[in-house]
Amino acid sequence: MLIKINMKIINFITVALIVAFFVSCSQNETTKNIESKITETQQTDPLPAWNEGETKAAIINYVNDVTDSKSENFIDIADRIATFDNDGNLWSEQPNYFQGDFAINRIKELAPEHPEWKTEQPYKAVLENDMKELAKQGEQGIVKLVLTSHAGNTSEEFQEIVKHWLQTAKHPTKNVLYTDLVYQPMLELIKYLQNNDFTTFVVSGGGIDFMRPWAESVYGIPKHQIIGSRIKTEFNYTDKKATIKRMPEVDFVNDKAGKPIAIHNLIGRRPIFSSGNSDGDLQMMQYTASNPLKSFMLYVHHTDSVREWAYDRDSHIGKLDKGLDQANEEGWTIIDMAKDWKVIYPFELTEK
Amino acid sequence: MLIKINMKIINFITVALIVAFFVSCSQNETTKNIESKITETQQTDPLPAWNEGETKAAIINYVNDVTDSKSENFIDIADRIATFDNDGNLWSEQPNYFQGDFAINRIKELAPEHPEWKTEQPYKAVLENDMKELAKQGEQGIVKLVLTSHAGNTSEEFQEIVKHWLQTAKHPTKNVLYTDLVYQPMLELIKYLQNNDFTTFVVSGGGIDFMRPWAESVYGIPKHQIIGSRIKTEFNYTDKKATIKRMPEVDFVNDKAGKPIAIHNLIGRRPIFSSGNSDGDLQMMQYTASNPLKSFMLYVHHTDSVREWAYDRDSHIGKLDKGLDQANEEGWTIIDMAKDWKVIYPFELTEK
């Protein structure tokens, strides 16, 4: 059941994208022609949504180098591990982390069962849409909201709730589904690396059970290659039925130094390719840069205030400060979103 | 470097096995003939080291059923998750867990740097080979030994130590390398499931960093699909060099209820196929049996006192008691090792 719906999402998105793109090029092509055109495009340009320039060239040169069996930098397939941060790296994260919007929505949904929340913070602030008061509640308030909104059910129930929300909720300013706000150039990059026998992982500060219901189909990355933060869970076996119960307690925060630790624990190899957009990804970048094999560190710099959002050193979300300094010092590749990306979101392909 | 040595191990084992097996059948076959014969054998019998009977038939019938697109029990490839316990399930575990032998050896290696161990338990017992005294030290003593022998270095240093030990140490009674004591029928089963598009995982109570240096090549299962117990680690970044330091503290014990929790956290799907040999695997079996998709639960019962060891309800290692009861009650498949397996270890193929 879970899978069937996921397949519907992937089918919807991919088919819509591909069809829309090619229909906009030529209204009367047959399906067969469309398919041959896709293959042709992939063969001639693996990253069609990227503008020509240093960034795109650096990525392609690196991949060509490490996959060339005659190169001194050739890397065995088993070692071609690529890790991608999610928020602000594969999809947008403004004006709030999307998982934060989910948590607030979930609190409102649960409110009728909790009359005491009308007077109890941080719930009161959420129910009154008082963002100023919510901010005053600080990190402790946020953690309380996340735990309340993410626990108290089985893992399977929770994933159904997430799927339902993603199928219906709209982004507050863009007014599209949240999963429409993934980055087309990054979808191409993931696919390009997979086509070159890289094993791709999502390594996100976001919750694993929040990501899994959609990330597998949207990014084409299997659930067991999606790594994130976790709350504690308990095994329950009653009446011959085994379930995983979600508990209101933090288990692991997959951010900063947590990222290389999770990569070590869950992947067991240093990445050769890492992509992120904030200081929360810096330790993952450092871990990748220390790989004795030739590695590639890629930072997304949010420079596009028109099509997306522009922010870096002073942002309350996705702060990129120390990471930007080290990337500049060490010559890591930095994506200038405004300059390097032809389109940001898949739906722009249909609008062109 | 890590990989090259791993490849050597896999090459040595696979080549030795295949060559020895076929050379014993026919001394003057050409390489080409050998290759065509392997393919033929796989096609006619995917489990050649298994005797014909109910157990083998049950496995093959199940795989045929869930991979047949016309069957009502057909299962999508993404959902074909198979999880295997390791100790006593993929390799032997008597008279001590092999990782326990490693820990004791490591304590002896480290002893010259720790003169205080001559009078301090549980180290004194280890250094004096006083197993009776060691047993008296109980679980706390064992944990102390494991933490001392497994921590204090980087993850990469530790894995090199494990590899070196496995290349040189011999099993106390069988007098062969520990990695020679994997079960030939289970190697075939893993391969058979992989050939049917199952994604295979090791889900062991053993340490992940103890398993990864050899299990990938010996079982043909990628490192990121090897799940085990963990000690705590710390990220260290000094002089532009990032390392994972191993700390003397337990992080996660992947046994009993820990197994379904780790499967949920790291795989994100319920298995449809689980294989284990002790009560420590029972919760994983229950979790698999509760899968709404058709599932298969497989217990190895150690019944062969001649070729391996015979033990179950009263064993100090790999105790199979409640698991055996539930398997019988629910009709799970139980391997009778003495009856169902033509050979136990790969090296027996050359001795036949």
Side-chain angles (χ1 to χ4, degrees):
Chain A
M1 188 60 189
L2 215 97
I3 301 318
K4 278 181 193 155
I5 295 173
N6 270 346
M7 288 311 295
K8 271 187 199 160
I9 298 175
I10 195 171
N11 285 344
F12 171 72
I13 293 180
T14 12
V15 172
L17 282 181
I18 294 168
V19 170
F21 182 68
F22 285 99
V23 164
S24 74
C25 300
S26 161
Q27 291 287 353
N28 51 9
E29 298 218 349
T30 65
T31 309
K32 208 175 166 185
N33 283 343
I34 289 173
E35 276 169 10
S36 70
K37 201 155 180 174
I38 293 171
T39 314
E40 202 182 294
T41 309
Q42 285 181 331
Q43 276 170 353
T44 53
D45 183 356
L47 302 172
W50 295 64
N51 285 314
E52 298 306 320
E54 276 179 33
T55 307
K56 180 172 177 173
I59 294 169
I60 292 175
N61 289 341
Y62 172 77
V63 172
N64 285 344
D65 189 15
V66 300
T67 58
D68 175 3
S69 58
K70 287 176 208 118
S71 164
E72 59 173 1
N73 297 316
F74 176 76
I75 295 176
D76 285 336
I77 287 175
D79 286 317
R80 293 183 201 163
I81 302 293
T83 50
F84 289 86
D85 173 48
N86 184 44
D87 296 309
N89 194 55
L90 297 181
W91 73 353
S92 291
E93 61 183 352
Q94 297 284 0
N96 312 303
Y97 288 123
F98 296 176
Q99 193 172 352
D101 288 356
F102 166 78
I104 285 175
N105 180 270
R106 184 77 189 135
I107 293 294
K108 288 179 180 170
E109 262 180 11
L110 292 170
E113 299 162 35
H114 297 274
E116 72 279 13
W117 287 355
K118 280 182 190 151
T119 54
E120 190 188 326
Q121 294 296 7
Y123 309 107
K124 184 171 182 283
V126 169
L127 299 180
E128 292 171 356
N129 294 313
D130 186 349
M131 293 302 128
K132 213 167 151 184
E133 180 56 43
L134 186 57
K136 272 194 214 159
Q137 298 293 318
E139 200 180 324
Q140 231 175 352
I142 301 292
V143 170
K144 212 166 164 182
L145 285 183
V146 169
L147 291 176
T148 308
S149 57
H150 284 62
N153 37 30
T154 69
S155 59
E156 276 134 355
E157 285 163 356
F158 180 74
Q159 295 194 20
E160 285 301 318
I161 292 165
V162 171
K163 277 199 291 191
H164 177 74
W165 181 74
L166 284 170
Q167 282 161 359
T168 51
K170 294 282 178 77
H171 184 275
T173 64
K174 299 277 183 190
N175 203 31
V176 294
L177 295 179
Y178 287 93
T179 46
D180 288 342
L181 297 175
V182 296
Y183 302 139
Q184 174 65 20
M186 296 305 267
L187 297 181
E188 292 173 1
L189 177 56
I190 291 170
K191 190 79 198 142
Y192 173 51
L193 294 177
Q194 290 173 342
N195 287 343
N196 281 280
D197 296 319
F198 282 65
T199 307
T200 52
F201 292 83
V202 173
V203 180
S204 168
I208 39 169
D209 283 341
F210 178 77
M211 288 187 289
R212 282 179 181 153
W214 58 273
E216 180 174 62
S217 52
V218 171
Y219 300 143
I221 294 180
K223 284 186 180 175
H224 65 268
Q225 289 163 216
I226 296 170
I227 298 172
S229 297
R230 297 189 303 259
I231 60 172
K232 289 220 162 126
T233 51
E234 273 182 14
F235 177 74
N236 184 281
Y237 190 63
T238 311
D239 299 332
K240 308 255 173 198
K241 181 92 193 140
T243 51
I244 302 289
K245 282 201 72 174
R246 298 173 58 77
M247 311 307 288
E249 194 181 338
V250 174
D251 185 30
F252 182 75
V253 178
N254 193 40
D255 195 33
K256 298 191 169 66
K259 291 201 177 195
I261 284 173
I263 290 170
H264 169 68
N265 284 340
L266 280 68
I267 304 179
R269 280 192 161 87
R270 279 181 198 255
I272 60 166
F273 187 107
S274 275
S275 164
N277 74 300
S278 79
D279 285 357
D281 303 311
L282 182 55
Q283 288 81 354
M284 175 169 80
M285 298 292 193
Q286 292 166 341
Y287 189 54
T288 306
S290 303
N291 194 328
L293 301 169
K294 186 178 178 179
S295 58
F296 195 91
M297 285 59 65
L298 181 66
Y299 255 125
V300 172
H301 192 189
H302 290 266
T303 52
D304 195 323
S305 63
V306 179
R307 296 182 300 174
E308 211 241 2
W309 286 268
Y311 57 99
D312 49 31
R313 294 185 193 273
D314 301 319
S315 177
H316 69 298
I317 280 175
K319 178 175 173 169
L320 179 61
D321 182 34
K322 287 183 189 165
L324 201 53
D325 289 341
Q326 189 165 354
N328 282 321
E329 274 165 39
E330 315 243 344
W332 298 345
T333 301
I334 301 170
I335 296 168
D336 180 338
M337 203 185 251
K339 201 178 115 208
D340 287 326
W341 287 358
K342 273 186 204 162
V343 295
I344 309 285
Y345 304 119
F347 59 76
E348 293 170 47
L349 292 171
T350 64
E351 291 167 357
K352 281 178 77 174
Chain B
M1 185 62 186
L2 215 96
I3 302 318
K4 279 180 193 156
I5 295 174
N6 269 345
M7 290 309 295
K8 273 187 200 158
I9 297 175
I10 194 172
N11 285 344
F12 172 73
I13 292 179
T14 13
V15 172
L17 282 181
I18 294 168
V19 170
F21 181 69
F22 285 99
V23 165
S24 74
C25 300
S26 162
Q27 291 289 351
N28 51 9
E29 299 218 350
T30 65
T31 309
K32 207 174 165 188
N33 283 343
I34 290 173
E35 277 169 8
S36 69
K37 201 154 180 176
I38 293 172
T39 314
E40 202 182 293
T41 309
Q42 286 181 331
Q43 278 171 352
T44 52
D45 184 356
L47 301 172
W50 295 64
N51 285 313
E52 299 307 319
E54 276 181 31
T55 307
K56 180 172 177 173
I59 294 169
I60 291 176
N61 288 341
Y62 171 77
V63 172
N64 285 343
D65 188 15
V66 300
T67 59
D68 174 2
S69 60
K70 286 174 209 121
S71 164
E72 59 173 0
N73 297 315
F74 177 74
I75 295 176
D76 286 336
I77 287 175
D79 286 318
R80 294 183 201 162
I81 302 294
T83 50
F84 290 85
D85 173 47
N86 185 44
D87 296 310
N89 194 55
L90 297 181
W91 73 353
S92 291
E93 60 183 351
Q94 296 285 0
N96 312 303
Y97 288 123
F98 297 175
Q99 192 172 353
D101 288 356
F102 166 78
I104 285 175
N105 180 268
R106 183 78 188 135
I107 293 295
K108 289 178 180 172
E109 263 181 9
L110 292 170
E113 299 163 36
H114 298 274
E116 73 280 11
W117 287 355
K118 281 180 189 152
T119 54
E120 192 187 323
Q121 294 294 9
Y123 309 106
K124 185 170 181 284
V126 169
L127 299 180
E128 293 171 356
N129 292 314
D130 186 349
M131 292 302 129
K132 213 168 151 186
E133 179 58 43
L134 186 58
K136 272 194 212 158
Q137 298 292 318
E139 200 180 326
Q140 229 175 353
I142 300 292
V143 169
K144 213 167 164 182
L145 285 183
V146 169
L147 292 175
T148 308
S149 57
H150 284 62
N153 37 30
T154 69
S155 60
E156 277 135 355
E157 285 162 356
F158 180 74
Q159 295 194 19
E160 286 299 319
I161 292 166
V162 172
K163 277 200 290 191
H164 177 73
W165 181 75
L166 284 171
Q167 282 161 0
T168 51
K170 294 282 178 76
H171 184 274
T173 64
K174 299 276 184 191
N175 203 32
V176 294
L177 295 179
Y178 287 93
T179 46
D180 288 343
L181 297 174
V182 296
Y183 302 139
Q184 173 66 20
M186 296 306 266
L187 297 181
E188 292 172 2
L189 177 57
I190 291 170
K191 191 77 198 143
Y192 173 51
L193 293 177
Q194 290 172 343
N195 286 344
N196 281 281
D197 296 319
F198 282 66
T199 307
T200 51
F201 292 83
V202 174
V203 179
S204 168
I208 38 168
D209 284 341
F210 178 78
M211 289 187 289
R212 281 179 182 155
W214 58 274
E216 179 174 62
S217 53
V218 171
Y219 300 143
I221 294 181
K223 284 186 180 175
H224 65 267
Q225 288 162 217
I226 295 170
I227 297 172
S229 297
R230 298 189 302 260
I231 59 172
K232 289 221 163 126
T233 52
E234 272 182 16
F235 178 74
N236 184 280
Y237 190 62
T238 311
D239 299 332
K240 307 256 173 199
K241 181 90 193 142
T243 51
I244 302 289
K245 283 201 70 173
R246 298 172 58 78
M247 311 306 288
E249 195 181 336
V250 174
D251 185 29
F252 182 75
V253 178
N254 193 40
D255 194 32
K256 297 193 169 70
K259 291 203 176 195
I261 285 173
I263 289 170
H264 169 68
N265 285 340
L266 280 68
I267 303 179
R269 281 193 159 87
R270 279 182 198 254
I272 59 166
F273 188 108
S274 274
S275 164
N277 74 301
S278 80
D279 284 357
D281 303 310
L282 182 55
Q283 288 81 356
M284 174 170 81
M285 297 293 192
Q286 292 166 340
Y287 189 53
T288 306
S290 303
N291 195 328
L293 302 169
K294 186 178 178 179
S295 57
F296 195 92
M297 285 59 66
L298 182 65
Y299 256 124
V300 172
H301 191 190
H302 291 266
T303 52
D304 197 323
S305 63
V306 179
R307 297 181 300 173
E308 211 239 3
W309 286 267
Y311 58 98
D312 49 31
R313 296 187 192 272
D314 300 319
S315 178
H316 70 299
I317 280 175
K319 178 176 174 169
L320 178 62
D321 181 34
K322 286 183 190 165
L324 200 54
D325 289 340
Q326 191 165 355
N328 282 320
E329 274 166 38
E330 315 244 342
W332 298 345
T333 301
I334 301 171
I335 296 168
D336 180 337
M337 203 184 252
K339 198 178 118 211
D340 287 325
W341 287 358
K342 274 185 206 161
V343 295
I344 309 284
Y345 303 120
F347 58 78
E348 293 171 47
L349 293 172
T350 64
E351 293 167 356
K352 280 179 76 178

